[in-house]
Amino acid sequence: MGSLERSKKKTQVWKKAVIHFSLCFVMGFFTGFAPAGKASLFSNFETTPSTISKSQIPPHPSENSTYTPNSLADKALVNSQVQAPSPSKSQEAEPENRSLSETEEEVTPKGLVIVVTPVMTKDRYKNVLLRRMANTLRLVPPPLLWIVVEKHSEADVNSSSTMLRKTGLMYRRIVFKENFTSLEAELDHQRNLALRHIEHHKLSGIVHFAGLNNIYDLDFFDEIRDIEVFGTWPMALLSANRKRVIVEGPVCESSQVLGWHLRKINNETETKPPVHISSFAFNSSILWDPERWGRPSSVEGTKQDSIKYVKQVVLEDDTKLKGLPAQDCSKVMLWRLNFPTRTRFST
């Protein structure tokens, strides 16, 4: 009897083991067919927020740091966290609009300054002075266009062109072949060539005639960008063999021109205001669209002598002139040097 009972017990143990093994095999077999992305009955306790203890939740990463899960449990917890609701479109639009407006204010384009420099044929220091002027203009914020006008010369064509290219400035070089016996006639011819070029290509900007012996305060170029039609300013005249400074230009109240500084020549006071060619600037559109500024559309001789036309417009009506700087136009931002040399002429 004892041997029969033992054999029955062994048979029951084997049956239980087989049944358990079969159940585990069947469960594992059918579990393999379940979709991988869906949680099963056995994984509910991992993804339910109520079953997660505070010690299990990983620390929230700060804005300037990066959090990396270290274990599978951490990854499951990170993936199961509820994301914060995304901001509405109106909330997103506000900072975007604010940043756009701030960017527009910062990137407001500046007006083009067109600097015209005539180079005198008989000036033996012209290459040195051109480099000095180029170094000044390189410090001016863009946009700036430098128009250099000089007589054609086989000896200077390569040196001038190479020097202008190396400046990094936006420039135009205009040459002429005519001969002149008068210095003033040559300079006016060069200025007319530059004005015709501006008119032909309709280069929109503020035109300023810069002689090679001019010295500038860099604020000068920011001031003239605000000119609408015509602008004028005081200019100091310096001579190497004199111990005095002569100031030419307007007398203003705020930016309104009230009168002019008049000089005494041979003990007689000038009656005509001495407006130097470098002491005013104007909007270039008056050359091809004069009606916009209240000027007749066709004036006899305008095309042939543009510089004479511009000077006439400047002198005939002080009300159209804007004094610079805008406070009271008393600050001198431009100096003109006169060198006591026979071959050196003032411009």
Side-chain angles (χ1 to χ4, degrees):
M1 294 294 295
S3 60
L4 290 174
E5 289 179 359
R6 290 193 203 98
S7 60
K8 287 181 180 181
K9 288 181 181 180
K10 289 181 180 180
T11 303
Q12 291 176 358
V13 171
W14 277 104
K15 286 181 179 180
K16 289 180 180 181
V18 171
I19 292 171
H20 283 292
F21 176 78
S22 301
L23 288 174
C24 292
F25 175 79
V26 171
M27 290 297 295
F29 179 78
F30 285 105
T31 303
F33 289 99
K38 295 185 179 180
S40 62
L41 295 174
F42 302 99
S43 62
N44 286 339
F45 73 96
E46 292 182 357
T47 58
T48 305
S50 59
T51 60
I52 303 176
S53 64
K54 293 183 179 179
S55 61
Q56 292 175 319
I57 299 177
H60 191 276
S62 62
E63 294 181 357
N64 297 325
S65 62
T66 304
Y67 173 71
T68 304
N70 294 323
S71 63
L72 293 176
D74 287 346
K75 292 180 181 179
L77 293 175
V78 171
N79 293 333
S80 65
Q81 288 181 355
V82 180
Q83 295 181 353
S86 59
S88 62
K89 293 183 178 180
S90 60
Q91 293 175 341
E92 291 180 350
E94 288 180 0
E96 289 180 359
N97 294 335
R98 188 162 54 250
S99 62
L100 285 175
S101 62
E102 292 174 356
T103 305
E104 289 175 356
E105 293 178 359
E106 294 176 358
V107 203
T108 303
K110 296 182 178 181
L112 174 67
V113 175
I114 304 174
V115 179
V116 177
T117 300
V119 180
M120 291 176 292
T121 306
K122 295 181 180 180
D123 190 351
R124 63 180 181 180
Y125 300 115
K126 58 184 179 181
N127 291 331
V128 175
L129 296 175
L130 267 176
R131 291 179 184 275
R132 184 175 68 99
M133 180 64 70
N135 290 334
T136 299
L137 298 180
R138 289 174 64 184
L139 301 175
V140 180
L144 181 142
L145 173 63
W146 190 20
I147 300 180
V148 179
V149 188
E150 60 182 336
K151 186 176 181 180
H152 178 74
S153 173
E154 295 294 340
D156 296 337
V157 62
N158 292 329
S159 60
S160 298
S161 300
T162 303
M163 188 276 295
L164 290 172
R165 282 195 297 268
K166 290 182 178 180
T167 61
L169 294 168
M170 182 169 59
Y171 74 93
R172 305 280 175 90
R173 182 173 178 266
I174 303 174
V175 296
F176 64 96
K177 296 183 179 180
E178 294 84 354
N179 295 319
F180 296 90
T181 56
S182 169
L183 173 64
E184 194 62 31
E186 180 182 351
L187 291 175
D188 282 347
H189 177 71
Q190 291 174 297
R191 292 164 186 148
N192 280 325
L193 289 176
L195 293 180
R196 290 174 199 165
H197 180 83
I198 294 170
E199 181 180 3
H200 177 73
H201 295 282
K202 294 187 176 180
L203 303 176
S204 181
I206 303 301
V207 181
H208 168 60
F209 296 100
L212 288 180
N213 51 356
N214 289 359
I215 298 177
Y216 293 91
D217 184 331
L218 292 179
D219 292 338
F220 168 83
F221 297 96
D222 289 331
E223 292 285 347
I224 66 175
R225 293 183 198 271
D226 297 330
I227 295 175
E228 295 181 1
V229 189
F230 286 91
T232 184
W233 49 84
M235 182 173 65
L237 309 180
L238 306 175
S239 296
N241 56 353
R242 294 184 181 180
K243 295 182 179 180
R244 64 173 180 172
V245 177
I246 301 175
V247 177
E248 290 183 351
V251 178
C252 307
E253 181 178 349
S254 184
S255 61
Q256 182 181 0
V257 177
L258 301 179
W260 301 86
H261 292 285
L262 300 179
R263 296 180 299 176
K264 283 187 177 182
I265 300 178
N266 297 327
N267 295 324
E268 294 183 3
T269 304
E270 291 178 321
T271 57
K272 184 180 178 181
V275 181
H276 191 271
I277 192 66
S278 292
S279 64
F280 70 89
F282 62 95
N283 193 313
S284 61
S285 62
I286 198 173
L287 297 173
W288 66 82
D289 190 12
E291 293 181 349
R292 175 184 175 188
W293 307 110
R295 302 294 304 170
S297 57
S298 60
V299 179
E300 185 178 356
T302 297
K303 297 290 184 181
Q304 289 73 22
D305 199 350
S306 300
I307 190 63
K308 182 179 179 180
Y309 167 69
V310 170
K311 289 180 180 179
Q312 177 185 350
V313 175
V314 171
L315 292 174
E316 72 178 10
D317 191 358
D318 293 348
T319 60
K320 294 182 179 179
L321 294 174
K322 177 182 179 181
L324 299 174
Q327 292 76 15
D328 57 0
C329 72
S330 61
K331 179 182 178 182
V332 176
M333 298 181 292
L334 171 59
W335 297 262
R336 181 164 64 94
L337 298 180
N338 289 330
F339 296 93
T341 308
R342 292 181 180 179
T343 57
R344 181 76 179 99
F345 300 95
S346 63
T347 56

